Amino acid sequence: MQNKICASVAKSKKQKPYLYIMSNIQLIIEERPSDIGNFLVGRLLPFREKRLVGPFCFIDHMGPAAMNEHQNIDIAPHPHIGLSTLTYLFEGSMMHRDALGTEIEINPGQVNWMTAGKGIAHSERTPERLRNSDKFLHGLQIWVALPKHLEQMEPEFFHADGDDIPTWQEDGVDFKLIAGEAFGRKSPIPVYSPLYFIEIKNTEEKTLKIGDSLFGESGLYILDGSVSSEGNTFGPKNFLVAKDSKLCEFTLAPNSTVYIFGGEAFPEERFIYWNFVASSRELIEEAKQRWLNQEFGQVPGESDFVPLPPQSKNVK
């Protein structure tokens, strides 16, 4: 029997931002507001009941946000270890600079993939050409944890244009394989563990059966429109986390956009502190000291940096 998204819902008395599902869906995570300085995002992962989905350990929905000539994104140089960052914009532009000397503007449909490995610092800012004008920003920022044997690899950076990303249409549904492997296709993004990050769009109501192309753990984020199964409908800003990746049958309402994140889970636990992800607390403590000593390399063109958060913030 094929597993389906179906809902026998046990509601919490405290109105927690998720619902347990007595089917193939393990839980539903509602987007939660999170302040990242001068910008409010909707956070999907990490979540107290689900730290990772496959290797995905952090997913932020940025915007949609309209900014005037006095408002800009200015995230000063900050460090990462043990992960790759992926930036994917729907609208707007962002300037990326890192300690490798990379300086590149990311635009809608492109993919910025920075692998921190043993450690890298980078900044994210509104491009100079847009700083004194009205602007708009909307997209996803994602962290993908590295497998244990690659946690200490040398940092790398990769940029892909929209034309480089596999895109196809089946039965009136548009698919894009932003990263990883699925449906017999492979994205050019150099990932380091088995995973997939898929965009699905439609204009007319469609029922999809895609479970055979997925593996490991899987989650489906609804950006626009809705997803239905067995008489139950889930709207925008919900992240449906499956028990075994078999999101194999669901119906998209007209003009929906959804994203599927997933892949093989790691055998070891991952600890997250601030911008650090590691398989051991020792690696995180070491990274904290290195950042205090400013040993992550200088980002060209940058002189300030984000200070280490208070030591009272626990490693999770």
Side-chain angles (χ1 to χ4, degrees):
M1 177 182 296
Q2 290 185 325
N3 290 310
K4 297 181 179 180
I5 297 180
C6 56
S8 174
V9 181
K11 294 184 178 180
S12 166
K13 295 180 180 179
K14 295 184 179 180
Q15 296 297 309
K16 295 179 181 179
Y18 66 92
L19 302 175
Y20 282 109
I21 305 300
M22 307 304 289
S23 68
N24 188 47
I25 298 300
Q26 183 180 14
L27 55 86
I28 301 175
I29 302 173
E30 294 182 22
E31 207 173 282
R32 295 147 290 141
S34 181
D35 192 346
I36 60 171
N38 60 345
F39 195 72
L40 197 66
V41 300
R43 183 144 299 165
L44 301 169
L45 287 179
F47 183 62
R48 62 182 177 273
E49 300 294 329
K50 186 67 176 173
R51 307 302 298 171
L52 289 83
V53 174
F56 291 87
C57 59
F58 179 100
I59 304 173
D60 267 359
H61 175 208
M62 303 184 296
M67 295 174 282
N68 62 34
E69 67 273 19
H70 304 297
Q71 298 172 312
N72 293 293
I73 299 298
D74 281 306
I75 303 175
H78 55 282
H80 291 287
I81 65 165
L83 56 84
S84 296
T85 65
L86 189 156
T87 302
Y88 184 72
L89 299 181
F90 312 137
E91 298 178 82
S93 300
M94 187 179 293
M95 180 63 70
H96 166 98
R97 295 183 180 90
D98 63 40
L100 295 174
T102 308
E103 181 174 342
I104 192 165
E105 182 176 319
I106 180 171
N107 294 298
Q110 299 176 337
V111 178
N112 264 17
W113 176 262
M114 183 186 73
T115 299
K118 65 183 183 182
I120 193 171
H122 76 128
S123 66
E124 298 161 288
R125 301 186 185 273
T126 298
E128 195 63 35
R129 64 182 180 84
L130 299 175
R131 296 187 71 84
N132 298 312
S133 62
D134 293 343
K135 61 197 75 75
F136 202 80
L137 188 66
H138 192 198
L140 294 170
Q141 284 208 309
I142 297 158
W143 296 355
V144 180
L146 288 168
K148 185 175 181 178
H149 70 284
L150 292 175
E151 283 183 304
Q152 296 293 293
M153 67 180 285
E154 294 295 324
E156 298 178 347
F157 180 85
F158 183 86
H159 174 88
D161 288 325
D163 292 342
D164 300 328
I165 305 301
T167 303
W168 68 100
Q169 187 177 83
E170 289 183 15
D171 190 28
V173 179
D174 294 317
F175 293 84
K176 183 180 292 186
L177 181 60
I178 300 170
E181 295 186 52
F183 306 105
R185 293 172 168 85
K186 183 176 181 179
S187 167
I189 306 303
V191 302
Y192 293 102
S193 66
L195 62 86
Y196 43 85
F197 172 24
I198 305 159
E199 177 185 85
I200 302 175
K201 294 185 176 185
N202 66 303
T203 55
E204 300 179 355
E205 181 176 296
K206 293 290 181 180
T207 297
L208 301 184
K209 299 180 181 180
I210 60 174
D212 291 342
S213 296
L214 306 180
F215 56 87
E217 296 183 328
S218 192
L220 185 153
Y221 173 60
I222 306 166
L223 178 68
D224 294 310
S226 63
V227 169
S228 300
S229 182
E230 298 185 347
N232 301 283
T233 301
F234 308 93
K237 298 187 178 182
N238 282 309
F239 187 42
L240 316 181
V241 181
K243 291 179 179 176
D244 63 1
S245 87
K246 298 300 181 182
L247 294 169
C248 59
E249 185 172 338
F250 56 90
T251 299
L252 294 173
N255 301 310
S256 292
T257 300
V258 302
Y259 292 87
I260 298 180
F261 304 85
E264 298 294 349
F266 298 127
E268 320 89 7
E269 183 179 4
R270 286 300 181 276
F271 300 95
I272 302 174
Y273 170 89
W274 191 35
N275 302 313
F276 303 144
V277 175
S279 62
S280 72
R281 289 185 174 87
E282 290 75 18
L283 284 173
I284 289 180
E285 291 302 318
E286 177 186 309
K288 289 162 64 175
Q289 190 59 52
R290 287 168 52 209
W291 183 242
L292 288 172
N293 296 340
Q294 299 189 37
E295 296 173 352
F296 275 75
Q298 180 68 34
V299 178
E302 300 278 9
S303 57
D304 54 350
F305 74 103
V306 178
L308 192 73
Q311 294 296 316
S312 59
K313 187 173 183 178
N314 293 327
V315 177
K316 298 178 181 179

